[in-house]
Structures are given as structure tokens and as C-alpha cells.
Amino acid sequence: MAYMMRRLLWTLPIMLGVLTLVFFLIHMIPGDPVELMLGEYALPADRELMREQLGLNRPIPLQYAEYLKNTLSGDLGQSLPNRRPVTAMILERLPATLELMLGAMAVAVGLALPLGILAAVFHGRWPDQAASVFAVLGVAIPNFWLGPLLVLVFSIQFDWLPVNERGGLEHLVLPAITLGTSLAALLSRMTRTSLVEVLGEDYIRAARAKGLNRRRVILVHALRNALIPIITIAGLQIGVLLSGAIITESIFDWPGIGSLLLEGIYQRDFPLVQGCVLFIATSYVLINLATDIIYGWVDPRIRQS
Amino acid sequence: MSVSARRLWVLGMLLGIAFLFPALFAPWLAPHDPLALDLAGALAPPGAAHPLGQDEQGADILSRLLYGARISLLVGTAAVSVSAAIGILAGLVAGYLGGWVEQLLMRLVDVLLAFPGLLLAIALVAVLGPGLTNVVIALSALGWTGFARLVRGQVLTVKSQDYILAAQALGVGDGRMMRVHIFPNVMAPVMVQASFAIAGAILSEASLSFLGLGAPPGTPSWGAMLSEGKHVLSEAPHVSIFPGLAIMGVVLGFNLLGDALNDYFDPKRHKTSAPGS
């Protein structure tokens, strides 16, 4: 309980820092932000109206206080072109991003566990080396290249999978592989390292000496313990997937929060940009908090450290 | 250095040279002007006159790749130099002075690291406007945090060593202590980090340019080339394939160099790595 409270208290100043930084984003615009949003030929009356709407004509401490009050009550402001609440726009797009992240996580774990186990069991032999090559390439391959390559092969050449637009499971396959590959590479290395370490422990040797079969020792006795750090890393990477989704969504015209952020940037809709950045960063902090708390709950050594 | 580290080092060096050489000598190596347009030859596949083919505007892809290496090198080294300079200074000051200075700097690092991956860079470029200078600013604004954390950790270890205590007893001032006695002893991990950071910065620049937030239109940036190639994927896949290979090769090269340097500088891994492993 004390660990959980400590971790929660630690998160509060970070959240305040994130809120503050996002607030100042609009003030970092060189020159007049209203001119950037409306263009240099906008009428003075329109400029004044927008300044009023965004609250930019008030002193900065007042703007900040109001921003904090509104944000904490879930009001992220209004989008400039269509006057819709930013919070509603984000919530509309959230399911698509969650679907993509879940798909990517399934791809990552589905590839990483078998590869990592094979690499650890055949430590130093060709399956290990093949898994190493996958891991090294998987981290280096940019997802904005992998995505178009997958489209080229599986959609254009073979016409096996659809591209663009969200729909059934078959629409999710290519975006999920694009987003999940680098995580699969990272997790396969983690699985290998963790499992090689556990396989060298005395209790594994004792289990083998008792005559238990090799498969059972690896899958039941060793993997269960080797999985703890892997689950933690996977948890921490959920937030990274959230930012990786920005590029993946732009490749596949996937209607998620990443696409919404980019639409905001291209249309110079700064309330929308601020809202999306704040939402993604806050989700990242909260996911990390949840992962830490779960890790502490699973492993008492973390709670006591 | 173990055999595996030596292999990684050699492969990383080869990929690094394959990147640096065209970046430095692009004007002499490029067969065509990277900005010259030839609409009659638009999307032409690889051939004798254009070994890697032509893009949508008929520009020579090989020449654009060679000049693109310059942009990647420039942005990568500039962003990492600025990040390293700020990060090393912040880490030295935080680790050596401790107290409220350390608290303030490290909490700022925590806040910046609360923005996952590219998000903060995207947000900063969105407000500052596209362009390579703003890309360097955006990448450095986040990049220094990794160096600061690393150096602070190293300083905390180094400053309790006997030779530092001896120097303090001799009355060496704080500035000189950090500059002469501590800084050289924390450089090894900084070099490892710099190698990974260059790979990361090159990938980030390409990502931002792919999204239309980096290099201005028409600039031969690898990310922008990939973005242009995306629209003509079915009729001219070569427009996308070569810039992607270039980015992957460079990122792989700097990552391998980082791994090899890590292996070389880490005495623990040094001793435990079996020969031939």
C-alpha cells in the first residue's frame, strides 16, 4: 500500500509538469499564434475574436489557471475549424487506436515468445543467431518503410489483404504488423536473455535431475519466472506504441488519435494539437504508473526497494 | 574485445563508412543534379543512366539518396552534439552539486520523458514550423535528457572515489573538479549513448520528414523521399525501396557501433564473454 501511495504521489508532479508544458506549447509559437492559425491576411476583427476565444488576450497566469481548471474537468477546448469539443473528437477516435495497439501487442507477443524461447533453448546455435538477426533488423527497420513494403507485397502483388480503411480483422493485420515489429524484436531479445538466465538457475537443474521432461521444465518452470521482466517491459512499451501509432495511422489512413493529431497540425488547429498531445502523454504516464504498481504487486522485492 | 564485439564493430564501421563517404562527397559522386527535374522520365525504373531509377518528378534517385545522406548526417550530428553538450553539463552539475539543483534538473528530465517517443518532437515542430533547424531544436529538446540521466548516474559513482576525495582535500574548485577530474571519467558511456542517439536522431528526422514536418518540400531527405514514394507504390516501388534501405542501413550501423562500444567499454561483459561467442 505504501509503495502504491509513493508511486501515486510521484506521478502527481510529473502530471502537473506535462500539463504545464502542453499549456506553454501555444506560447512557443514564434510571432503571433493567431496570425499563424488564421493567416496573415485575416481581418483584425477575426483576429481579436480568436484571441478572445482562445483566451490569449488575458494575462498568462489567468490563462494557465483557467486551462488547469478546464483540463481537470475534462474540457480540452474546441477545435477551430469545426467548433467541436476536442475531448469528444479524441474519444471518437480512441477505439481505432486501441484496436491498433491491441493488434500490435498481439503481433509482438505472438512473434517474440516463440522466437525468444527457441533462441534460449538453442543458445549459441543457428536458431539463436536467426532470432538475433530478426531482433537487430526489427529494431532498425523504420515502420514508415515496413508499412509500405507490406502493402506492396500483401496488398498490391498478392492481393491477399486489404489496405486503408478500418474494417474487419483482415484490415488490422498489416497496420498491426507494422506497429508491432520493433516491439517484437525488443521482446524476443528480452525473452531470450531472461530465459537463458533462468535456465542456468539451480532449481531448473534440480527439476531436470528429478527426471522431469525438458519441455515441461522450459515451459512451466523456467518460462513462468522468465516472464516477469518481459511483462513489465511489454507494459511500459504500451505507451511507446501509442506514439508509434501516429506514423502507422498516417501510413494506413487509420482513423485514430495519431491521425487526428496530424490533421490538427496540418490545419493549424492548435487546441486540437494540444488536446491530442496532452491525451497521449497523460495516457503514457498512467500506463507506466499502472505497470509499476502491477509489477510491485507481483514482485515483492520491488515494493520493498 | 571479444570476437562477436569485433564482428559487430567491423560491420558497424562498414555501414558507417558507407554512409559517411557519400554524405561527405555527394557533389563528386552524384551522377545528376538531385534537384533537376525530368518529367519525361518520371517514375522510370532503374537503368544505365539512372542506376536506381527516377522519382515522380523525374529526379535521379541515386543522386537524391547521396545528397540525402548529407541531410541525415547533418541533422543527426547536430541534434546529438547539442543534446550531448546540454545533457553532459546538466548531468555533471546535477550529480556533483546535488541538492535542489539536482532535484530541479532531474524532475525536468522526468517531465520531458513523460512524452513517449516522437510525440514531443512532433508537438514542437508543429508549433515552431517545419524545417531542418526546427527539427534539430525539437530533437535536442528531448535528446539531452538521456545524456543528463546517464552522466548524473556516472558522476554519483565517480565522486565517491578516493582520487576525487583527495582532489577535494587539496582544495580543487568545483568547476575544475567537474572539468578535469570527473568529465573524462564519464566519457565512455557517453560515447556509447551518442552512437545510439545518432541512429535515433536520423530515424526521427526521417520520421518527421515522412510526416511532412521536417525537410521542406523538394529537399532530398530520405524520409521525404519515402513519403513521396508511398503515393506511387504500385507503379514504381523503387521510389520507396532505396531510401528505406538507406535509412535501415544507417540506423543498423550506428546501433551496431553502439553495441560494440558498449561491449568494449564494459569490463564486466568483457570478462564474461566467452571467446567465439
Side-chain angles (χ1 to χ4, degrees):
Chain A
M1 198 63 190
Y3 167 77
M4 205 185 286
M5 282 310 292
R6 224 170 36 232
R7 194 60 189 76
L8 272 171
L9 285 176
W10 179 249
T11 303
L12 290 177
I14 302 287
M15 288 297 301
L16 187 65
V18 169
L19 279 164
T20 308
L21 199 60
V22 173
F23 167 76
F24 279 108
L25 267 182
I26 203 162
H27 296 280
M28 287 181 204
I29 295 174
D32 182 2
V34 170
E35 185 177 308
L36 186 72
M37 287 180 247
L38 290 178
E40 55 183 312
Y41 301 112
L43 295 171
D46 289 341
R47 289 181 192 207
E48 207 40 53
L49 186 66
M50 176 166 283
R51 228 180 287 279
E52 175 71 33
Q53 279 169 351
L54 294 176
L56 292 173
N57 50 358
R58 275 168 286 169
I60 287 187
L62 267 183
Q63 288 181 40
Y64 182 61
E66 186 153 357
Y67 159 83
L68 280 186
K69 195 185 95 192
N70 291 342
T71 306
L72 292 176
S73 61
D75 176 7
L76 297 176
Q78 276 196 334
S79 161
L80 295 179
N82 53 27
R83 305 261 161 236
R84 292 193 56 213
V86 169
T87 311
M89 291 171 78
I90 291 175
L91 292 177
E92 268 169 27
R93 301 286 192 103
L94 184 60
T97 298
L98 287 178
E99 187 183 312
L100 178 60
M101 285 169 58
L102 269 176
M105 192 49 95
V107 167
V109 174
L111 274 175
L113 280 187
L115 272 177
I117 293 170
L118 274 178
V121 172
F122 295 99
H123 182 41
R125 285 148 65 186
W126 74 265
D128 186 16
Q129 282 154 1
S132 291
V133 171
F134 168 77
V136 171
L137 291 181
V139 171
I141 193 166
N143 56 0
F144 50 89
W145 187 50
L146 178 63
L149 277 188
L150 292 171
V151 170
L152 182 66
V153 175
F154 295 104
S155 301
I156 297 172
Q157 293 291 327
F158 295 115
D159 199 18
W160 286 345
L161 289 164
V163 68
N164 295 353
E165 288 180 35
R166 185 172 166 230
L169 197 61
E170 68 275 20
H171 288 261
L172 181 63
V173 176
L174 295 184
I177 295 175
T178 303
L179 183 58
T181 297
S182 62
L183 180 56
L186 178 74
L187 290 182
S188 73
R189 282 324 273 167
M190 285 289 305
T191 309
R192 175 198 176 272
T193 310
S194 184
L195 198 55
V196 164
E197 209 167 285
V198 171
L199 285 172
E201 300 269 349
D202 288 343
Y203 75 90
I204 296 294
R205 246 174 269 147
R208 293 294 301 278
K210 263 169 47 187
L212 288 180
N213 78 44
R214 195 163 173 239
R215 178 178 295 187
R216 191 174 157 76
V217 170
I218 291 167
L219 294 180
V220 178
H221 295 257
L223 192 60
R224 191 181 288 177
N225 282 310
L227 275 178
I228 294 176
I230 299 160
I231 291 169
T232 312
I233 296 289
L236 295 174
Q237 290 293 319
I238 294 174
V240 180
L241 285 183
L242 198 56
S243 86
I246 299 170
I247 293 180
T248 308
E249 288 179 7
S250 92
I251 298 169
F252 293 94
D253 292 331
W254 194 260
I257 295 169
S259 297
L260 189 66
L261 169 65
L262 292 174
E263 285 164 25
I265 293 172
Y266 299 144
Q267 294 175 358
R268 294 171 176 180
D269 184 357
F270 282 95
L272 183 58
V273 173
Q274 273 186 313
C276 290
V277 170
L278 187 62
F279 184 84
I280 296 174
T282 308
S283 308
Y284 184 56
V285 172
L286 294 179
I287 290 167
N288 285 354
L289 171 70
T291 309
D292 274 359
I293 288 176
I294 293 169
Y295 193 27
W297 180 62
V298 172
D299 191 340
R301 287 169 301 184
I302 304 294
R303 286 201 300 270
Q304 285 150 14
S305 68
Chain B
M1 192 189 276
S2 69
V3 175
S4 63
R6 214 163 27 233
R7 276 191 206 142
L8 290 179
W9 175 259
V10 170
L11 186 58
M13 284 298 278
L14 284 177
L15 286 166
I17 291 166
F19 166 63
L20 279 177
F21 190 68
L24 294 173
F25 301 106
W28 294 277
L29 294 173
H32 300 275
D33 177 354
L35 302 175
L37 308 181
D38 167 22
L39 289 175
L43 302 181
H50 300 279
L52 301 184
Q54 290 170 271
D55 69 10
E56 214 175 353
Q57 275 81 39
D60 179 56
I61 291 178
L62 175 60
S63 305
R64 288 178 73 77
L65 271 187
L66 294 171
Y67 275 89
R70 295 194 132 192
I71 292 175
S72 295
L73 178 70
L74 197 72
V75 174
T77 48
V80 173
S81 304
V82 176
S83 302
I86 300 171
I88 290 170
L89 188 65
L92 275 173
V93 169
Y96 186 72
L97 296 181
W100 68 267
V101 179
E102 182 185 24
Q103 285 298 319
L104 185 76
L105 283 167
M106 289 304 116
R107 292 306 75 80
L108 182 60
V109 167
D110 287 339
V111 169
L112 290 173
L113 288 177
F115 292 84
L118 261 187
L119 181 69
L120 190 63
I122 289 177
L124 284 174
V125 175
V127 295
L128 297 174
L132 293 175
T133 309
N134 288 343
V135 168
V136 172
I137 294 173
L139 296 181
S140 307
L142 187 64
W144 70 274
T145 54
F147 286 99
R149 263 198 177 172
L150 178 75
V151 171
R152 174 186 160 267
Q154 293 292 315
V155 172
L156 290 179
T157 315
V158 168
K159 83 173 184 183
S160 58
Q161 308 244 328
D162 288 345
Y163 71 92
I164 297 292
L165 300 177
Q168 273 171 340
L170 285 171
V172 175
D174 287 347
R176 186 174 165 77
M177 181 75 86
M178 283 189 262
R179 205 174 57 246
V180 178
H181 297 285
I182 295 181
F183 175 64
N185 288 299
V186 301
M187 274 312 283
V190 168
M191 282 167 67
V192 176
Q193 169 90 354
S195 187
F196 289 124
I198 289 181
I202 289 174
L203 197 56
S204 300
E205 182 277 318
S207 307
L208 290 169
S209 293
F210 177 81
L211 294 173
L213 303 172
T219 313
S221 147
W222 291 346
M225 289 169 75
L226 264 176
S227 178
E228 289 156 16
K230 193 181 81 164
H231 306 296
V232 290
L233 203 56
S234 52
E235 60 265 49
H238 63 274
V239 179
S240 297
I241 287 174
F242 297 115
L245 274 176
I247 297 169
M248 195 172 85
V250 171
V251 172
L252 190 61
F254 280 103
N255 278 344
L256 290 178
L257 276 180
D259 278 339
L261 282 172
N262 198 23
D263 201 23
Y264 179 71
F265 286 128
D266 187 349
K268 216 168 79 188
R269 282 182 64 171
H270 225 12
K271 279 179 196 157
T272 52
S273 58
S277 65

